Each structure stands twice: as structure tokens, then as C-alpha cells.
Amino acid sequence: MKVEYEEINVEKDLNSEKSIFKYYQKLIKLRHDNKILKDGSYTLLYPDDPNLFIYERELEWERWIVVANLSDQKQDLELMTSLPENTRILIQNSDRKDFSPELQPFESFIISY
């Protein structure tokens, strides 16, 4: 039987730049530093899709879209094909380099424009 705690443990996670702990620290900082996440209007997108949790926050001239693929399968998101040129990724749990419509299993990110 393989001993997984030697490879998957808190100490290793805390020392990794891609750790869940550091990702959540970044999310908390984003929430504290940006009024849009607290005060912006909330619109749920794709409410009938059981695999996707996507919503838009809007405050004054700024828009953010929070995207989460909740499934273990790739998903296509047509929304990604019609984003403005000034769109940027604020945070992500993957190595997304572009705005392709294909979401990886359990991929999540926040974009702004």
C-alpha cells in the first residue's frame, strides 16, 4: 500500500506557490481589496447548468465574471468567445493562457473587463 501522506501533506502544500492555501489567501485578498465583490450587482449566468457555476458582478464601469467548472469533465463555455479585448484573468486555479471556450475539469477563474 502506497503511503500518500509523504507526497500529499500540509507542509508541502504550504511551501508550494500553487497550493490551495495560497490560492485561498489570494481569493481573500481579492475580496478585501475590491468593492465589486462585496457591493457589485450579482447576476447568475447559466442557472440551469448543473456543471457550471458562473456569475457576473458589476459595479460602476467594471465587470467581473466568476467561472467554475464543478465537474470532472471538460465543458464548453460559449461566453468565452465574445469577451471584450480588454479582458484579463485576475486569478485562476489552472494555467489558462487564453480565453478558449474549453474549461478543464474543476477549472475556476475570475476575469475582469
Side-chain angles (χ1 to χ4, degrees):
M1 182 173 167
K2 184 176 178 184
V3 181
E4 289 188 9
Y5 71 86
E6 293 174 354
E7 294 194 25
I8 303 172
N9 59 57
V10 173
E11 183 179 354
K12 278 194 172 187
D13 191 60
L14 291 176
N15 290 323
S16 169
E17 281 305 311
K18 292 187 173 190
S19 74
I20 293 171
F21 177 76
K22 289 191 178 161
Y23 183 73
Y24 274 92
Q25 282 184 318
K26 290 175 188 175
L27 282 174
I28 291 166
K29 182 171 176 23
L30 220 77
R31 182 167 168 32
H32 285 279
D33 293 349
N34 295 278
K35 286 180 60 172
I36 191 169
L37 287 177
K38 294 179 276 187
D39 301 331
S41 65
Y42 171 89
T43 304
L44 182 63
L45 307 176
Y46 304 92
D48 298 325
D49 192 320
N51 297 311
L52 299 174
F53 179 57
I54 303 170
Y55 63 91
E56 180 180 65
R57 300 296 295 232
E58 186 174 358
L59 184 65
E60 298 168 3
W61 50 267
E62 191 172 19
R63 283 189 177 161
W64 286 20
I65 297 178
V66 177
V67 176
N69 177 4
L70 304 176
S71 79
D72 61 356
Q73 304 291 314
K74 292 180 180 179
Q75 302 291 320
D76 283 328
L77 182 57
E78 189 176 313
L79 166 81
M80 299 298 285
T81 62
S82 60
L83 296 171
E85 277 189 38
N86 65 336
T87 302
R88 63 189 179 102
I89 298 171
L90 299 174
I91 191 170
Q92 62 180 320
N93 71 347
S94 62
D95 292 323
R96 176 175 283 273
K97 304 281 190 255
D98 58 27
F99 299 108
S100 69
E102 185 176 81
L103 301 176
Q104 297 302 311
F106 303 110
E107 180 180 11
S108 65
F109 54 87
I110 300 174
I111 55 176
S112 73
Y113 57 93

